[in-house]
Amino acid sequence: RSDSFKNEIISNVSHNLKTPIAAILTYTELLKSCDGIDPAQQQQFVEIIDARARTLEDMVKSMILLSKIQTGATQIRFEVIDLEELCQDTIDSFRVLADKKNLTLRLTCTGEIPAVISDYEKLSTILSNLLSNAVKHSFPGHAVDILLSREGRSTSVTVSDTGEGIPQEKLKDIWERYYKVDKEHKRAQMGSGLGLSIVKNILDMHGGTYGVTSTLGQGSTFWFELPVAQQSPES
Ligand code: ADP
């Protein structure tokens, strides 16, 4: 089992890394071979190399994080977190990316949102992965919404996009490591297929509840719940 697990990892890793590495090599060759290349085009090639190198960095970071979670090398460090502030910070970090697709990113709080108990870094990773997917799969010019609301002793977080959506029969598979709905698509090739697996593993470590609803051609809503930090009167 261990050997087949290793083989699966190696085959997925090599497949995922191949596309960005090929792009970096191609554009580096072009830069090296074109004397007197137009500066605007030169800049464009450098930007492509930069973007692909960042994709590789993200993939490697995801692989390391997932491996640490699955081997127990990283644990949840519970602390009290201001969820609203963390969501706002995450949204701010995605503004540049969202602007490129003319997307609006909105945070809405239903009532007062109490602090929650979670691990700051890991919760930040969950929100970033969900927001990154929502931005990636949204239709240009639409909005991505994060909604916070108190549900008894928990706080619920939903991330919704108006985008391509996910087929019903694939909804259970998207949490699996290396799973991609559309393997042939260029954009899918640039993903690691690990984002939602990391989200699932972290939420499982919390013992938290989570899920997704989606309508093909209309969009998806990912949600999870976290326990509130202290017993304050329920609204
Ligand atoms: P990736 O790095 O490839 O995005 P994920 O684990 O984050 O990997 O997601 C797995 C697959 O689930 C993606 O390849 C994509 O097909 C699908 N998916 C995830 N989030 C969304 C979304 N908001 N809208 C549509 N499809 C999504």
Side-chain angles (χ1 to χ4, degrees), residues 62-79:
S62 293
M63 286 187 260
I64 292 170
L65 177 58
L66 190 60
S67 148
K68 278 186 177 167
I69 293 171
Q70 294 192 326
T71 56
T74 179
Q75 305 288 333
I76 295 277
R77 293 193 359 231
F78 286 107
E79 56 195 310

Side-chain angles (χ1 to χ4, degrees), residues 139-160:
F139 296 136
H142 285 245
V144 169
D145 284 290
I146 296 189
L147 178 68
L148 302 181
S149 61
R150 180 164 183 174
E151 307 288 341
R153 292 188 181 173
S154 302
T155 297
S156 132
V157 183
T158 69
V159 180
S160 304

